[in-house]
Amino acid sequence: MGSILAESWILSQQGASSSPFYEWRAQDLGGCLQGRVIRSRTWHKERFYRLQEDGLSVWFQRRIRRAPSQHICEPGPAVREGHQSEGLRRFGGAFAPARCLTIAFKGRRKNLDLAAPTAEEAQRWVRGLAKLRARLDAMNQRERLDQYPPWKSVGWAPGVEGGQDSKMSFKEIKSLLLMVNVDMNDMYAYRLFKECDRSNNERLEGPEIEEFLRRLLKRPELEEIFHRYSGEDRVLSAPELLEFLEDQGEDGATLARHELMTLDGFMMYLLSPEGAALDPAHTGVFQDMNQPLAHYFISSSHNTYLTDSQIGGPSSTEAYVRAFAQGCRCVELDCWEGPGGEPVIYHGHTLTSKILFRDVVQAVRDHAFTLSPYPVILSLENHCGLEQQATMARHLRSILGDMLVTQVLDSQNPEELPSPEQLKGRVLVKGKKLPAARSDEGRILSDREEEEEEEDDEEEAGAAEQRRRTPGRRVSQAKQISPELSALAVYCGATRLRTLRPAPPPPPPGQVSSLSERKAKKLIREAGNSFVRHNVHQLTRVYPLGLRMNSANYSPQEMWNSGCQLVALNFQTPGYEMDLNAGRFLINGQCGYVLKPACLRQPDTTFDPECPGPPRTTLTIQVLTAQQLPKLNAEKPNSIVDPLVRIEIHGVTSDCARKETNYVLNNGFNPRWGQTLQFQLRAPELALVRFVVEDYDTTSPNDFVGQFTLPLNSLKQGYRHIHLLSKDGASLSPATLFVHICIQGS
């Protein structure tokens, strides 16, 4: 196999019962590589892989009598060198770290762990994957369409699959249309077929088939906009381009320096990041990062160690790595007594598997700052006795070293919370802190005891009963706090928040209150403005109710409305709640910190999320078209989506709304709507806009197709493309919505 191809591979493994391990042999099998799968120290199987023409997929076959299968992976997986995964740490001991690498995919897909025959071969893999990733990242949408047209995604290439004579009849063309998610009118399809049938023999061959398919990619709505501005000469002059850009709300001085722009250039511009709905100026860190921590929304995870259900799912250090890769800055560690004096992490009183506390701390050290340089908070739920608490403190200090904050940064203002900028590359511990006047033997409530004491209603009592009935339950030890662990809670000492009425004096900023979603909602209803003012100075963490046995999430928006910073969600559970979280932290370089609006940062603010005032902003969105929506059921070629678009506003209660278009029958390739949806907003600075595409169904709930969520303040006006994401946040490129956006008011 040539070195160029060898450096351009992406492999994927999906649905395996455990993280697979591959030993690669240096053997060229006519463009293939032969590999040995190792899922344990004794389970070995042969594998063959061949890179496909698209550069994104690999043909995979076992050395037994089974049909070959295709594994498609999204562009841009993360590559880790050495023993940097749970699988390689467990099974890779026989191979030098220099020979090993891990390919980590987005969403819930499992890692691919590899061992090359030599360190040099491993580096070729690393370089090749980096080159492929850079090439894909540099492509605009138009170039992606040219490189990876939709017919390649269904395993078809012009002149190859059209029968034995490499030609296609009209009936075969119709079948191909169904494969790419369009049920075209027969008369229109046949007219297009005849226009491409230059030989006039009722069959299309190679170039004719490709011409037919490329005509499908034409965008008449973009041509219409182009001609509206260009006039009869069908070319945009500099003044005409400037007029269009000004209508878009853009500063067109730079782009309009070009004397002429053709239709192709115009389409490339609208499909580029500059033509997307997300403001490119907000994709990097653009906010003030020098304000106190309490002035930021902070991306936060609940039960971070879990990869599935909180009742019987596996725990894994990989869950922490994936959370950090999604920009998470506050992770949870449920710490329990373990064998051999080593604390373990798992969901107590359940059947979830256990992982070592020290392994999690090592994962924090190795991966916490890969994506974002800003501080990470370790939220400790401590169920250990004094001896293992001291062990926890020792591991934190020895493994994290200078990363760990062990004393206040500014001795002149010890009670003032530092800023994200001051804490770059540092790790904070959130946990119980011994009162200065209390002896070391004094009993202190643990975090979980505190939470259970707050949740004493019937529902939470039911959850507690469920835990009591679960096999393997262990009795919690007496909750004393060791001085060693207490000393590490420098800026995030856990404390209870009992009431906000009458208004208490401002608490010390270095205290963090943990509230269940129910307790937080109660405070919002009963003391909205007081809660907002409390969160100006002090960090508040909100967590899901214990009743959510399947690790479901609550909507984080209501908590953000009141200024809560650490709104913790189950990152392993996809859904609209995680879409909102991803949308909230999409901006500011996806660094996990977003500056709260001014109304949530002012000490004397009068803002109340339950009474935000009169409407201030009108948002008008015209939903025009969609392009190349994915098929939901590839096994049924006649199954075509009937797409509709829903636009949701998530903000203060009075702003929350959802409106949708009609559905388009049997067309997921290029559906057209041309419908206008309008919204009135009272607190636009808090609003998120979620674009959702669904497959309409008359007899059952609609099926999810794709979505994209972003803050209203980062939404660009004018004609924009919405680049859709899958349920787990992966790109659905080239699937897009094309809309026109108008924002009026403050």
Side-chain angles (χ1 to χ4, degrees):
M1 179 174 174
S3 60
I4 295 178
L5 281 181
E7 293 189 357
S8 301
W9 276 44
I10 288 185
L11 306 179
S12 71
Q13 178 73 14
Q14 195 168 10
S17 59
S18 61
S19 180
F21 181 86
Y22 294 82
E23 177 192 354
W24 290 101
R25 291 192 235 160
Q27 186 172 358
D28 185 347
L29 299 177
C32 296
L33 281 182
Q34 180 179 358
R36 182 175 296 277
V37 182
I38 306 174
R39 291 205 180 106
S40 71
R41 291 179 177 84
T42 58
W43 194 95
H44 296 223
K45 298 291 180 184
E46 293 284 341
R47 294 288 184 267
F48 295 91
Y49 291 91
R50 177 184 290 121
L51 180 70
Q52 298 295 81
E53 289 183 4
D54 61 7
L56 293 178
S57 56
V58 171
W59 182 80
F60 159 65
Q61 186 177 27
R62 299 175 178 89
R63 293 190 69 183
I64 54 178
R65 289 189 296 271
R66 290 188 186 178
S69 60
Q70 188 95 351
H71 292 284
I72 306 295
C73 65
E74 72 280 356
V79 179
R80 308 181 216 150
E81 300 181 53
H83 294 170
Q84 292 295 318
S85 74
E86 207 163 60
L88 282 171
R89 281 194 294 268
R90 291 178 63 191
F91 305 129
F95 303 93
R99 292 173 52 189
C100 298
L101 65 144
T102 296
I103 303 173
F105 300 98
K106 290 183 178 179
R108 306 181 74 177
R109 296 170 65 178
K110 296 182 182 298
N111 294 342
L112 182 66
D113 294 318
L114 305 172
T118 65
E120 291 74 20
E121 182 70 14
Q123 280 302 306
R124 280 197 290 272
W125 276 74
V126 172
R127 289 195 304 270
L129 289 167
K131 287 179 182 178
L132 180 57
R133 179 172 187 169
R135 185 182 71 177
L136 291 168
D137 289 346
M139 284 184 179
N140 61 35
Q141 188 83 345
R142 183 67 180 273
E143 291 168 332
R144 286 175 186 260
L145 286 173
D146 290 341
Q147 183 73 19
Y148 309 114
W151 44 89
K152 281 191 177 181
S153 69
V154 294
W156 185 89
V160 176
E161 303 289 344
Q164 293 184 345
D165 57 359
S166 298
K167 296 181 180 181
M168 296 186 76
S169 66
F170 178 66
K171 181 179 179 181
E172 291 169 324
I173 284 285
K174 283 283 291 182
S175 297
L176 179 59
L177 290 175
L178 293 176
M179 292 172 67
V180 297
N181 211 3
V182 58
D183 186 9
M184 186 179 291
N185 174 274
D186 280 358
M187 290 182 61
Y188 176 76
Y190 186 68
R191 185 172 76 246
L192 189 60
F193 178 90
K194 290 300 292 182
E195 289 173 0
C196 298
D197 181 18
R198 303 192 185 283
S199 57
N200 203 29
N201 64 355
E202 296 295 325
R203 297 177 74 81
L204 302 184
E205 54 185 322
E208 296 173 335
I209 300 170
E210 189 157 355
E211 181 184 354
F212 177 90
L213 293 169
R214 290 195 179 280
R215 287 196 182 197
L216 291 178
L217 293 175
K218 292 187 69 174
R219 298 283 302 279
E221 77 278 23
L222 296 188
E223 295 180 21
E224 179 184 337
I225 297 166
F226 180 80
H227 295 154
R228 189 189 313 155
Y229 284 89
S230 67
E232 294 183 0
D233 60 359
R234 303 301 169 94
V235 175
L236 281 177
S237 64
E240 290 167 339
L241 177 57
L242 185 60
E243 179 187 3
F244 170 76
L245 294 173
E246 287 175 346
D247 289 348
Q248 291 276 99
E250 301 275 14
D251 177 8
T254 302
L255 194 58
R257 285 183 307 179
H258 301 282
E259 293 185 4
L260 298 173
M261 178 180 278
T262 64
L263 174 60
D264 275 351
F266 182 73
M267 294 176 68
M268 287 182 67
Y269 165 73
L270 285 176
L271 285 166
S272 73
E274 286 72 24
L278 175 64
D279 189 341
H282 291 189
T283 56
V285 176
F286 71 99
Q287 295 181 328
D288 178 8
M289 303 303 290
N290 290 292
Q291 300 196 30
L293 286 180
H295 286 188
Y296 297 85
F297 296 128
I298 304 172
S299 181
S300 304
S301 168
H302 176 64
N303 289 348
T304 313
Y305 47 90
L306 292 177
T307 60
D308 205 335
S309 163
Q310 66 185 40
I311 296 301
S315 305
S316 171
T317 57
E318 288 297 323
Y320 288 89
V321 178
R322 291 187 175 232
F324 291 135
Q326 295 177 68
C328 184
R329 299 287 85 192
C330 178
V331 296
E332 186 178 28
L333 291 74
D334 286 9
C335 308
W336 295 81
E337 291 274 311
E342 286 293 338
V344 295
I345 290 177
Y346 81 113
H347 200 250
H349 312 319
T350 69
L351 298 177
T352 58
S353 62
K354 302 176 178 66
I355 51 178
L356 289 174
F357 175 85
R358 67 170 182 240
D359 286 349
V360 172
V361 179
Q362 287 172 351
V364 172
R365 177 196 63 194
D366 295 339
H367 302 285
F369 301 103
T370 302
L371 181 69
S372 169
Y374 293 106
V376 164
I377 300 172
L378 305 184
S379 181
L380 302 184
E381 185 182 296
N382 174 23
H383 301 270
C384 294
L386 290 175
E387 185 177 342
Q388 292 205 12
Q389 287 183 46
T391 301
M392 290 164 56
R394 187 168 64 252
H395 286 327
L396 287 166
R397 287 181 179 271
S398 63
I399 295 171
L400 296 178
D402 292 340
M403 288 182 179
L404 186 65
V405 174
T406 57
Q407 59 186 8
V408 294
L409 303 187
D410 185 355
S411 58
Q412 301 299 316
N413 297 291
E415 295 296 333
E416 184 175 296
L417 282 176
S419 69
E421 192 67 30
Q422 290 175 290
L423 289 166
K424 267 187 172 179
R426 305 299 298 276
V427 177
L428 301 171
V429 171
K430 171 193 166 291
K432 277 292 181 181
K433 195 168 181 65
L434 284 168
R438 188 183 293 269
S439 69
D440 291 353
E441 290 76 26
R443 187 175 186 278
I444 306 295
L445 287 175
S446 73
D447 293 345
R448 173 59 71 187
E449 284 180 302
E450 175 183 306
E451 292 168 3
E452 289 179 346
E453 185 171 312
E454 290 173 351
E455 299 300 329
D456 56 1
D457 55 50
E458 292 182 5
E459 273 195 307
E460 190 64 21
E465 178 64 23
Q466 173 67 33
R467 288 186 177 181
R468 281 193 289 274
R469 294 179 179 177
T470 304
R473 175 182 180 267
R474 304 196 324 171
V475 178
S476 182
Q477 305 224 354
K479 292 308 179 290
Q480 294 174 307
I481 303 301
S482 77
E484 298 91 340
L485 197 57
S486 171
L488 298 183
V490 178
Y491 286 113
C492 298
T495 187
R496 294 192 64 184
L497 179 61
R498 298 177 184 274
T499 181
L500 291 171
R501 287 185 173 174
Q511 295 182 354
V512 182
S513 302
S514 283
L515 309 173
S516 74
E517 57 179 289
R518 181 185 293 113
K519 181 68 176 290
K521 289 179 180 179
K522 182 179 179 184
L523 289 173
I524 293 168
R525 288 193 310 268
E526 297 178 356
N529 177 250
S530 296
F531 196 27
V532 169
R533 291 192 180 200
H534 171 88
N535 291 326
V536 170
H537 303 282
Q538 186 178 0
L539 293 171
T540 297
R541 179 177 179 270
V542 183
Y543 59 89
L545 281 174
L547 275 180
R548 296 180 178 273
M549 301 301 180
N550 60 350
S551 295
N553 282 310
Y554 57 91
S555 172
Q557 185 65 48
E558 192 172 2
M559 317 309 170
W560 290 327
N561 293 343
S562 60
C564 297
Q565 302 87 354
L566 303 165
V567 182
L569 299 177
N570 291 297
F571 272 46
Q572 77 274 21
T573 308
Y576 87 91
E577 302 91 348
M578 277 304 298
D579 294 343
L580 297 184
N581 195 77
R584 175 65 67 198
F585 295 101
L586 177 67
I587 62 169
N588 209 32
Q590 299 185 53
C591 73
Y593 283 81
V594 170
L595 190 64
K596 297 195 294 188
C599 65
L600 299 179
R601 292 184 276 122
Q602 299 159 347
D604 57 350
T605 180
T606 60
F607 181 76
D608 185 335
E610 297 295 288
C611 307
R616 296 160 42 201
T617 298
T618 300
L619 170 66
T620 305
I621 299 178
Q622 187 180 17
V623 181
L624 299 170
T625 61
Q627 295 74 44
Q628 298 184 52
L629 302 176
K631 282 183 74 72
L632 299 183
N633 194 340
E635 295 179 359
K636 294 183 178 180
N638 292 329
S639 174
I640 306 296
V641 299
D642 304 324
L644 63 81
V645 178
R646 184 174 64 253
I647 297 175
E648 302 171 356
I649 305 298
H650 297 264
V652 297
T653 303
S654 53
D655 284 350
C656 291
R658 50 170 54 194
K659 298 182 180 180
E660 61 187 36
T661 67
N662 300 328
Y663 67 90
V664 174
L665 187 64
N666 287 336
N667 189 349
F669 190 80
N670 53 5
R672 298 175 67 98
W673 289 278
Q675 291 181 248
T676 300
L677 309 176
Q678 192 171 86
F679 304 88
Q680 301 294 325
L681 304 176
R682 291 166 170 77
E685 63 272 28
L686 282 164
L688 293 172
V689 184
R690 184 170 183 253
F691 297 84
V692 187
V693 181
E694 291 184 341
D695 179 15
Y696 176 78
D697 197 306
T698 56
T699 59
S700 61
N702 296 342
D703 292 320
F704 175 88
V705 176
Q707 69 84 34
F708 188 76
T709 305
L710 75 169
L712 175 69
N713 285 349
S714 298
L715 186 63
K716 300 270 306 192
Q717 299 196 65
Y719 290 101
R720 300 291 169 185
H721 280 95
I722 311 294
H723 298 266
L724 296 174
L725 303 176
S726 69
K727 194 171 282 187
D728 61 6
S731 170
L732 289 176
S733 179
T736 53
L737 285 177
F738 186 54
V739 300
H740 184 272
I741 299 165
C742 179
I743 304 173
Q744 297 173 303
S746 60

